[in-house]
């Protein structure tokens, strides 16, 4: 009941022509933030919530720093520092005014540079709910191409800054994803578990929107998990009326041309009657497609409010004149508001809401405009982001396990913060999505590289502490193209394999070497099977002049959970020769678990068998390219571009019907190296003890001398009877069923038979029938689909010659200094063939292993005496159902831990059961003094987390009461549950 909540109070200074309130007068003793700071509404009128906001991309056409400072305004006029300066000034001029701020990456930059005075003022604005944080992650993440672990990390970082700086008044109540190009169910699930009361977004399929407008279902309850007990993953979701823009004719930013309110009746251009009339018409029309007597209008857009006076001066007047009509019987009440104040009114309405259980992919804004290209755009950046996530988790873990010396030790000062920030920025919806300009993509990659350099110092310090050896550690980050100066030249070196997973792994190590024979010994001194194989022509071509190895040394490393082991490698002078390659295609390669057959005439895959389960499927695989539409088309002038996938024919061109092959068959590994064209090759690889078949593809530079844009896919065609169904993961977690030319919630008119069936694949996709399931685990986010019965296709690379007119204004035509003729991209697909009831037991761990790969470090020569060669940070491996998602230093004497049940309910007979873990018996070296549970984003204590309750229209399941934990140390995880703990630890 603060004075500021009375709408008329604000009119006084305006009527008197006063510029602003003196500072001292505006804070009353009853000032409050959050829902209590909302302006009063009028129950019998149509309330129009005007939400002043700016959408500040954390990099897009300019880098995040260029946007912050307002540099390079020749590219786009945008300067976030000025926006925040100006908004704060303008909020002070009228206590009724409201503003929401979203992207903590920018707010943090700005806050750091403010004086104590300004900070005090801003704190007061936040405490009074006049400046409100919404969403509050470091960035507004992309939803199609991000992995859940990186999303949770970036949200945690942004929300932590807000809590540390502003306390409870800084905690956003509402998630706000107004720009991402389609919406993932896993994001909704995460937002629910982060404690948000509701979620708003702007973009959805145009057909879905028109149905929802008619049905008044633009506000709904999203039940975002098949496994978590409602309402744990229920999220109230609102679709904004106009994307995130103001209604037409009401944009009063300096970047807009709409007429200002000219309210001097003595002047020629007086337009108040006209403005009010237009506004009332828009409000009344909008109210027809929403359910309550409250509607929301987003008054702002990209990088607006740099001169906030323009917006606020006109909004003050708009509110005054619109509400002034109430005296003449107008039924419309306009007010300054925020998304949470609007949400509160929807909640008070106490209605029931349509229930949604699928997701909002793919997004189309017109019949031929499917935003499914960015699922794959910039595949090299997407892979680098994924590797960086693994590196960051290793860095975080080793910071904890190594203790404080990790940050300042024998190798100098290292930190995980730089990498955390770089990763957080990379989650933005124009970063890992691949929809930024080239120089901005380069900037994201540069930040990740810089972060990893800081982490390397930390990792070296930590490993020195844990192993007792300060020998210099060498990092070889280009092993994917077989470059590592140490292993290429040294005759004696050791390899430290750090495994960030909480269970032991067996991992193929592959190192560039110049000798033909090596001895590899494990930490116990036992010799390990190894093999030297000649380097392939494809690898030679892609590494260019960066290395000179002629061979590769391959062996299987076995690393303990959350720990490392060390292998010693020495050159043998007169050992056996390297394996030789044969030019003939074998009919089959096989190990204990799998048999892979080939067609000797074509050199292509022809079948796959799982020898344990005695399953065999026909399986061919080849590479194709879709001819990207150039926009010259009778149906639509939409070309393919960074965002949009639009093939100009549904039939892709085959790159080659046959592959030239070269085969290496040894007891350690077997490879069939396939060469399809100068720009497509592949290795079909089976390691000695692997249950998955590896397809290592190398694609590029895509030729464009024919002036045709190309979107390259690989397609697996199998004998599995899929009946048009296929399955993709959501942000690397729960699986969603997809059906060709079908959407679960509306009757689809399919106008793009290929692009309209593409979905994001973050970590895996599969096809199955009653008896067989073929799962493909990817090493980065990619787009994919099943267009024919039994087939699964994945888009690997794209090179396009036209901009797709969604703002980026560059064709997606990636080149680099090293690859001026076009980027070459290399990656891996892992295939597993299982019986459907046990498939998850195979693909869940396989996918985690692809995300959290071991980190290899090298030291020259023999390990020094007394070096500890093996270490595990755990007392014992965690059960197969449990994934250690986060282990990171929080402050001096506490660490943040997240444990995750990585199976869905009913997905696995063995593993879809609740599991109990004892927190005190988890770690081998950390003494846990206490544990407190937090929400998923670690910005609220779990027992203080209260969310609005929303009622769905139809509710099949009664709400189950979840039983408590066995004891305070023993915590139970149910399928798909993530639990977050702050552990007080003794780090001495
Ligand atoms: C909300 O509606 C339900 C059922 O219509 C009713 O029982 C309940 O009392 C209402 N709650 C409030 C706060 O009005
Ligand atoms: C939020 O920050 C306050 C200090 O502003 C701190 O006391 C509190 O513990 C923090 N909450 C959480 C959940 O970390
Ligand atoms: Zn954006």
């Amino acid at each position: 009941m603060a004075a500021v909540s009375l709408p008329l109070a604000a009119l006084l200074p305006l009527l008197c022509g006063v510029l602003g309130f003196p500072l001292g007068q505006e804070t009353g003793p009853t000032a409050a933030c959050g829902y209590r700071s909302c302006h009063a509404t009028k129950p019998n009128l149509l309330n129009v919530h005007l939400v002043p906001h700016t959408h500040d991309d954390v990099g897009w056409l300019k880098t995040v720093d260029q946007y912050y400072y307002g540099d390079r305004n020749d590219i786009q006029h945008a300067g976030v520092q000025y926006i925040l300066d100006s908004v704060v000034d303008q909020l002070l001029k009228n206590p009724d005014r409201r503003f929401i701020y979203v992207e903590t990456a920018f707010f943090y930059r700005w806050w750091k540079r403010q004086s104590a005075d300004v900070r005090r003022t801003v704190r007061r604005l936040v405490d009074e709910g006049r400046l409100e944080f919404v969403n509050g992650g470091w960035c507004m993440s992309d939803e199609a191409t991000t992995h859940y672990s990186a999303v949770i990390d970036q949200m945690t970082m942004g929300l932590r800054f807000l809590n540390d700086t502003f306390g409870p008044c800084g905690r956003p109540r509402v998630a706000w994803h107004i720009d991402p190009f389609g919406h993932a169910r896993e994001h909704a699930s995460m937002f629910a578990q982060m404690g948000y009361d509701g979620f708003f977004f702007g973009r959805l399929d145009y057909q879905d929107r028109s149905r929802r407008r008619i049905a008044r279902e633009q506000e709904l309850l999203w039940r975002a998990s098949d496994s978590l007990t409602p309402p744990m993953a229920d999220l109230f979701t609102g679709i904004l009326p106009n994307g995130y823009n103001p209604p037409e004719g009401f944009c009063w930013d300096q970047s807009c041309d709409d007429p200002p309110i000219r309210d001097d009746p003595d002047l020629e251009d007086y337009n108040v009657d006209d403005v009010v009339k237009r506004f009332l018409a828009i409000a009344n029309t909008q109210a027809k497609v929403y359910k309550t007597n409250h509607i929301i209008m987003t008054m702002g857009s990209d990088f607006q409010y740099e001169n906030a006076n323009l917006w606020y001066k006109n909004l003050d007047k708009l509110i005054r004149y619109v509400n002034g009509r109430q005296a003449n019987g107008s039924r419309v009440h306009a007010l300054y508001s925020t998304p949470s104040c609007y949400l509160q009114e929807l909640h008070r309405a106490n209605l029931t809401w349509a229930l949604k259980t699928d997701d909002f992919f793919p997004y189309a804004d017109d019949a031929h405009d499917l935003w499914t290209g960015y699922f794959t755009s910039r595949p090299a950046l997407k892979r680098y982001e994924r590797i960086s996530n693994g590196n960051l988790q290793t860095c975080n873990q080793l910071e904890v396990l190594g203790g404080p010396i990790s940050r300042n030790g024998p190798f100098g000062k290292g930190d995980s913060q730089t990498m955390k920030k770089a990763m957080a920025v990379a989650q933005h919806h124009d970063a890992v999505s691949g929809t930024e300009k080239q120089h901005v993509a380069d900037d994201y990659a540069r930040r990740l590289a810089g972060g990893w350099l800081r982490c390397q110092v930390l990792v070296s310090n930590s490993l020195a502490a844990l192993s007792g050896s300060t020998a210099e550690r060498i990092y070889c980050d280009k092993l994917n193209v077989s470059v590592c100066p140490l292993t290429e030249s040294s005759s004696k070196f050791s390899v430290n394999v750090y495994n960030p997973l909480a269970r032991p792994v067996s991992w193929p190590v592959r190192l560039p070497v110049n000798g033909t024979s090596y001895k590899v010994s494990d930490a116990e001194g036992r010799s390990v099977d190894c093999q030297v194989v000649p380097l392939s022509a494809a690898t030679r071509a892609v590494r260019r002049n960066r290395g000179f190895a002629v061979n590769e040394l391959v062996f299987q490393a076995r690393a303990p959970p959350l720990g490392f082991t060390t292998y010693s490698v020495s050159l043998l002078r007169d050992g056996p020769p390297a394996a030789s390659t044969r030019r003939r295609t074998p009919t089959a390669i096989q190990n204990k678990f799998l048999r892979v057959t080939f067609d000797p005439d074509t050199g292509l895959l022809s079948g796959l068998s799982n020898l344990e389960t005695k399953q065999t499927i026909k399986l061919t695989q080849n590479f194709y390219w879709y001819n990207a539409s150039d926009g010259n088309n009778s149906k639509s002038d939409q070309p393919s571009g960074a965002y949009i996938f639009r093939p100009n024919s549904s039939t892709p061109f085959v790159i080659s019907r046959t592959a030239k092959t070269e085969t290496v068959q040894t007891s350690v590994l077997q490879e069939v190296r396939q060469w399809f064209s100068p720009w497509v090759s592949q290795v079909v690889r089976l390691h000695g003890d692997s249950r998955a078949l590896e397809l290592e593809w190398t694609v590029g530079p895509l030729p464009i001398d024919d002036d045709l844009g190309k979107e390259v896919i690989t397609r697996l065609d199998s004998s599995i009877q899929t009946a048009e169904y296929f399955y993709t993961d959501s942000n690397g977690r729960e699986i969603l069923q997809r059906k060709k030319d079908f959407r679960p919630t509306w009757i689809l008119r399919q106008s793009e038979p290929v692009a309209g069936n593409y979905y994001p694949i973050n970590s895996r996709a599969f096809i199955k029938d009653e008896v067989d399931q073929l799962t493909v685990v990817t090493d980065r986010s990619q787009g994919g689909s099943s267009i024919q019965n039994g087939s699964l296709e994945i888009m690997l690379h794209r090179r396009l010659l036209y901009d797709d007119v969604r703002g980026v204004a560059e064709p997606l035509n990636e080149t680099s200094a090293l690859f001026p003729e076009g980027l070459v991209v290399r990656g891996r697909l892992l295939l597993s063939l299982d019986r459907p009831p046990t498939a998850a037991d195979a693909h869940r761990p396989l996918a985690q292993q692809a995300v959290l790969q071991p980190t290899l470090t090298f030291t020259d020569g023999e390990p020094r005496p007394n070096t500890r060669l093996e270490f595990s940070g755990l007392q014992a491996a965690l059960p197969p159902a449990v994934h250690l998602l986060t282990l990171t230093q929080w402050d001096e004497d506490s660490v943040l831990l997240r444990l995750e049940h990585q199976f869905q309910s009913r997905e696995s007979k063995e593993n879809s059961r609740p599991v109990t873990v004892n927190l005190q018996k988890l770690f081998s070296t950390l003494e846990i003094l206490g544990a407190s549970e937090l929400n998923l984003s670690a910005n609220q204590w779990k027992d203080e987390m209260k969310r609005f309750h929303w009622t769905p229209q139809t509710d099949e399941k009664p709400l189950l009461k979840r039983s408590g934990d066995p004891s305070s140390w023993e915590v139970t995880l149910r399928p798909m549950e993530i639990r977050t703990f702050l552990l007080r630890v003794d780090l001495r």
Side-chain angles (χ1 to χ4, degrees):
M1 281 295 107
V4 293
S5 70
L6 298 171
L8 288 175
L11 297 185
L12 207 59
L14 278 171
L15 295 171
C16 307
V18 174
L19 281 174
F21 288 105
L23 286 185
Q25 289 179 15
E26 35 176 317
T27 39
T30 50
C33 63
Y35 295 117
R36 286 183 297 156
S37 63
C38 298
H39 289 310
T41 58
K42 301 211 164 172
N44 300 316
L45 303 188
L46 173 63
N47 294 277
V48 184
H49 293 249
L50 301 172
V51 176
H53 81 104
T54 181
H55 176 67
D56 298 346
D57 289 306
V58 179
W60 179 38
L61 309 182
K62 308 203 287 190
T63 68
V64 53
D65 294 345
Q66 290 167 347
Y67 274 132
Y68 175 72
Y69 277 114
D71 191 14
R72 295 301 309 271
N73 275 353
D74 56 316
I75 299 176
Q76 178 188 16
H77 189 104
V80 176
Q81 58 167 339
Y82 307 126
I83 294 174
L84 288 164
D85 291 342
S86 181
V87 162
V88 167
D89 282 351
Q90 289 300 319
L91 287 176
L92 293 173
K93 295 201 167 156
N94 172 354
D96 272 1
R97 292 177 176 174
R98 293 289 181 270
F99 197 73
I100 56 168
Y101 202 73
V102 178
E103 297 86 5
T104 303
F106 286 125
F107 189 83
Y108 163 86
R109 280 166 163 76
W110 182 81
W111 181 258
K112 275 199 313 190
R113 288 166 183 81
Q114 302 310 306
S115 66
D117 251 14
V118 173
R119 288 183 179 187
R120 231 183 343 265
T121 304
V122 171
R123 267 205 193 93
R124 203 181 57 237
L125 291 174
V126 173
D127 286 344
E128 293 172 10
R130 294 154 65 182
L131 175 61
E132 181 179 308
F133 295 101
V134 157
N135 212 62
W138 204 249
C139 70
M140 184 186 294
S141 55
D142 180 55
E143 298 195 37
T145 65
T146 46
H147 190 264
Y148 70 97
S149 73
V151 174
I152 293 170
D153 284 352
Q154 75 89 2
M155 292 303 297
T156 300
M157 189 157 88
L159 294 171
R160 181 176 186 187
F161 170 80
L162 294 179
N163 182 56
D164 285 352
T165 312
F166 299 104
C169 284
R171 183 169 66 82
R173 306 303 202 263
V174 162
W176 182 256
H177 268 209
I178 54 179
D179 195 23
F181 331 124
H183 300 280
R185 200 179 73 173
E186 196 58 37
H187 260 73
S189 173
M190 290 188 279
F191 287 150
Q193 296 172 70
M194 289 174 183
Y196 291 103
D197 285 321
F199 175 44
F200 292 93
F201 68 69
R203 296 181 189 272
L204 80 166
D205 183 281
Y206 70 107
Q207 295 179 31
D208 193 8
R209 182 189 283 274
S210 47
R211 186 197 67 82
R212 288 182 181 278
R213 285 168 61 93
I214 295 160
R216 294 193 180 201
E217 285 186 8
Q218 293 192 88
E219 287 159 335
L220 55 118
L221 188 62
W222 200 348
R223 181 152 292 170
S225 170
D226 293 336
S227 298
L228 299 172
T229 308
M232 211 171 152
D234 284 2
L235 188 66
F236 180 88
T237 300
I239 297 160
L240 296 168
N242 199 25
Y244 53 89
N245 298 304
E248 203 172 329
F250 291 85
C251 184
W252 287 308
D253 193 64
Q254 65 179 15
S255 64
C256 300
D257 302 322
D258 292 338
I261 297 182
R262 299 177 304 249
D263 52 351
D264 183 343
D266 293 341
L267 299 188
E268 192 66 28
D269 292 335
Y270 180 82
N271 69 350
V272 171
D273 296 336
D274 170 62
V275 169
V276 170
K277 193 170 140 219
R278 282 189 291 119
F279 183 82
L280 294 179
I282 288 170
N284 285 315
T285 306
Q286 189 180 321
K288 292 199 175 77
V289 293
Y290 287 90
K291 266 184 160 177
T292 72
N293 64 326
H294 291 266
I295 58 172
I296 185 170
M297 291 185 185
T298 43
M299 305 310 272
S301 193
D302 290 3
F303 297 97
Q304 292 197 356
Y305 287 78
E306 188 173 311
N307 181 354
N309 182 39
L310 275 65
W311 258 117
Y312 281 117
K313 195 166 215 166
N314 285 285
L315 284 172
D316 283 348
K317 290 180 186 175
L318 180 74
I319 292 170
R320 171 151 60 114
Y321 291 120
V322 165
N323 294 351
R325 297 296 156 103
Q326 288 165 17
N328 309 337
S330 165
R331 311 290 301 156
V332 174
H333 181 67
L335 64 150
Y336 277 117
S337 190
T338 68
S340 49
C341 291
Y342 173 63
L343 185 77
Q344 171 169 249
E345 297 294 348
L346 297 181
H347 186 247
R348 281 182 180 152
N350 195 22
L351 303 177
T352 61
W353 306 91
L355 192 66
K356 180 179 173 76
T357 57
D358 61 324
D359 66 355
F360 289 97
F361 284 120
Y363 165 54
D365 53 5
D366 210 340
H368 300 286
D369 310 45
L370 268 295
W371 298 47
T372 53
Y374 80 99
F375 300 163
T376 297
S377 294
R378 300 193 186 279
L381 180 67
K382 282 184 165 69
R383 173 64 183 148
Y384 192 46
E385 183 275 336
R386 184 63 57 87
I387 293 174
S388 300
N389 184 39
N391 284 339
L392 173 60
Q393 305 309 322
T394 290
C395 183
N396 286 340
Q397 294 176 1
L398 283 170
E399 182 174 5
V400 173
L401 297 175
I405 201 172
S406 314
R407 293 185 289 277
N408 193 1
F411 298 100
K413 286 192 177 171
D415 67 84
S416 54
Q417 277 304 317
T418 315
M419 187 70 166
K420 282 191 173 119
K421 284 184 191 150
M423 272 300 290
V425 162
Q427 305 311 306
H428 168 62
H429 58 270
D430 297 299
V432 63
S433 60
T435 55
E436 65 282 65
K437 281 189 186 286
Q438 184 62 50
H439 80 281
V440 180
D442 295 344
D443 183 66
Y444 290 124
R446 185 187 58 71
R447 281 168 198 277
L448 294 171
W452 179 226
L453 282 178
R454 307 286 306 160
C455 268
Q456 284 180 2
V457 177
L458 186 156
V459 167
S460 292
N461 285 335
S462 176
L463 290 176
L466 295 171
S467 70
S469 161
T470 54
E472 190 199 356
R473 285 181 191 271
I474 291 159
Y475 294 77
C476 288
D477 294 328
K478 298 192 186 79
L479 286 177
N480 63 331
V481 290
S482 220
V483 174
C484 178
L486 177 71
T487 62
E488 283 162 44
S489 54
S490 173
S491 58
K492 217 178 217 11
F493 57 90
S494 59
V495 191
N496 178 294
V497 183
Y498 178 80
N499 167 26
L501 292 169
R503 59 190 170 81
V505 293
S506 171
W507 184 259
V509 173
R510 196 173 180 97
L511 306 173
V513 292
N514 278 302
T516 54
S517 188
Y518 288 83
K519 176 174 166 20
V520 178
S521 328
D522 68 13
E524 310 277 299
R526 289 174 304 223
S527 113
V528 172
D529 275 351
C530 66
Q531 183 67 52
V532 174
V533 298
L535 197 75
S536 71
T539 297
R540 249 175 238 269
V542 69
R543 84 166 175 211
R544 308 258 145 128
N545 56 5
R546 290 174 288 177
F548 63 98
V550 296
N551 290 324
E552 290 180 311
L553 170 68
V554 184
F555 63 92
Q556 202 71 21
R558 286 181 182 75
L562 208 71
F564 62 78
T565 192
T566 313
Y567 289 87
S568 304
V569 180
S570 45
L571 179 68
L572 294 180
R573 293 293 162 207
D574 41 12
S580 54
T581 57
R582 273 182 301 129
R583 288 271 169 213
R584 219 182 54 240
T585 309
T587 53
I589 56 175
Q590 89 175 62
N591 67 10
K592 286 182 288 205
F593 306 111
L594 292 175
R595 178 177 165 83
V596 189
T597 55
F598 292 84
D599 177 339
D601 295 331
T602 60
L604 302 180
L605 271 178
S606 64
L608 180 62
S609 309
N610 181 328
L611 302 173
E612 287 183 299
T613 54
K614 307 207 165 36
Q615 289 171 265
T616 295
I617 56 167
K618 281 195 199 135
L619 180 67
T620 60
Q621 181 239 1
N622 206 340
F623 294 86
Y624 307 81
W625 59 280
Y626 288 106
N627 182 3
S629 176
D630 58 9
N632 276 320
N633 184 289
S634 58
K635 288 194 191 134
S636 140
D637 55 9
Q638 178 61 56
S640 243
Y643 303 85
I644 288 178
F645 172 33
R646 183 162 185 239
N648 79 356
S649 157
S650 298
T651 313
F653 295 100
V654 65
I655 287 164
S656 171
R657 291 190 190 287
T658 58
K660 287 186 199 147
T661 65
E662 197 179 82
T663 308
V664 181
Q665 281 183 283
T666 75
S667 60
V668 173
L669 90 162
Q670 310 187 51
E671 311 187 329
V672 175
R673 299 169 176 180
Q674 300 169 312
W675 188 92
F676 294 86
S677 85
W679 46 281
V680 176
S681 63
Q682 178 174 256
V683 183
V684 180
R685 185 176 288 144
L686 204 48
H687 287 281
D689 66 351
S690 173
R691 286 183 156 84
L693 177 67
E694 181 179 319
L695 302 179
E696 187 187 57
W697 50 270
T698 304
V699 175
L702 306 190
I704 47 169
D705 42 9
D706 53 6
D707 286 335
L708 302 177
K710 296 184 179 59
E711 324 215 21
V712 176
I713 61 160
T714 186
R715 199 176 71 211
L716 298 152
D717 293 298
S718 77
S719 53
I720 297 173
Q721 297 300 309
T722 56
E724 308 203 315
Y725 288 99
F726 58 109
Y727 301 81
T728 59
D729 65 317
S730 183
N731 298 126
R733 239 161 94 75
E734 289 191 40
I735 302 292
L736 292 175
Q737 186 185 60
R738 312 296 190 182
K739 186 172 195 296
K740 192 183 160 202
D741 299 330
F742 178 79
R743 306 284 187 262
T745 45
W746 83 92
I747 302 189
L748 174 70
R749 273 171 287 121
Q750 183 63 280
S751 38
E752 280 289 322
V754 175
N757 283 308
Y758 260 63
Y759 290 88
I761 299 171
N762 299 108
S763 68
R764 85 210 74 166
F766 55 80
I767 50 175
K768 65 175 183 176
D769 56 21
E770 294 288 295
V771 287
D772 297 310
Q773 174 168 332
L774 179 70
T775 309
V776 179
V777 169
T778 64
D779 64 352
R780 76 199 72 193
S781 290
Q782 294 168 318
S785 188
S786 174
I787 307 286
Q788 308 291 340
N789 185 25
S791 107
L792 184 63
E793 65 182 60
I794 293 176
M795 190 180 285
L796 304 175
H797 197 0
R798 336 175 57 216
R799 188 172 193 191
L800 306 167
L801 305 178
Y802 300 92
D803 174 58
D804 54 2
V805 285
R806 292 303 185 282
V808 73
E810 274 182 10
L812 184 71
N813 181 0
E814 293 180 278
T815 58
S816 73
L818 197 64
F819 294 93
E821 71 282 36
L823 278 199
V824 182
V825 184
R826 171 173 279 186
R828 247 174 244 214
L829 301 174
L830 297 177
L831 268 53
S832 129
L833 176 66
D834 308 278
R835 297 292 180 205
T838 58
D841 299 332
H843 70 70
R844 291 273 170 203
L846 204 57
Q848 292 297 13
Q849 198 167 317
V851 172
L852 291 180
Q853 299 184 352
T855 298
L856 305 187
T857 56
F858 300 87
T859 49
D860 201 6
E862 290 206 44
R864 295 182 190 163
N866 303 324
T867 300
R868 183 168 185 183
L869 298 179
E870 196 157 277
F871 166 83
S872 171
L874 295 183
Q875 292 188 21
L878 292 183
V882 182
H883 176 55
L884 188 145
L885 177 60
T886 307
L887 178 64
T888 187
Q889 198 72 36
W890 189 256
D891 50 33
E892 288 284 289
D893 52 8
S894 57
V895 300
L896 189 72
L897 170 75
R898 285 194 187 90
L899 294 175
E900 169 186 2
H901 195 303
Q902 59 175 337
F903 284 82
Q904 292 176 212
S905 51
R906 296 176 299 277
E907 184 178 57
S908 158
K909 212 170 148 230
E910 274 303 300
N911 290 312
S912 294
R913 299 182 189 151
V915 227
T916 298
V917 176
N918 187 318
L919 296 180
Q920 224 178 9
K921 295 188 183 145
L922 217 48
F923 297 103
S924 62
T925 56
L926 291 181
E927 197 189 336
I928 313 288
L929 305 173
S932 320
E933 186 161 12
L934 292 150
N935 67 350
L936 181 61
S937 43
N939 64 328
Q940 221 186 349
W941 303 108
K942 189 69 180 279
D943 54 11
E944 289 174 1
M945 183 171 143
K946 277 196 212 76
R947 300 174 62 219
F948 282 165
H949 179 75
W950 303 88
T951 313
Q953 273 162 6
T954 49
D955 206 354
E956 327 83 58
K957 286 184 234 153
L959 304 188
L960 298 172
K961 268 265 172 281
R962 98 189 267 300
S963 47
D965 291 320
S967 74
S968 59
W969 291 115
E970 285 177 292
V971 299
T972 300
L973 295 148
R974 285 169 186 74
M976 278 292 131
E977 206 171 16
I978 299 176
R979 296 186 67 181
T980 305
F981 299 94
L982 195 61
L983 304 180
R984 271 190 307 117
V985 293
D986 188 351
L987 283 170
R988 275 161 303 132

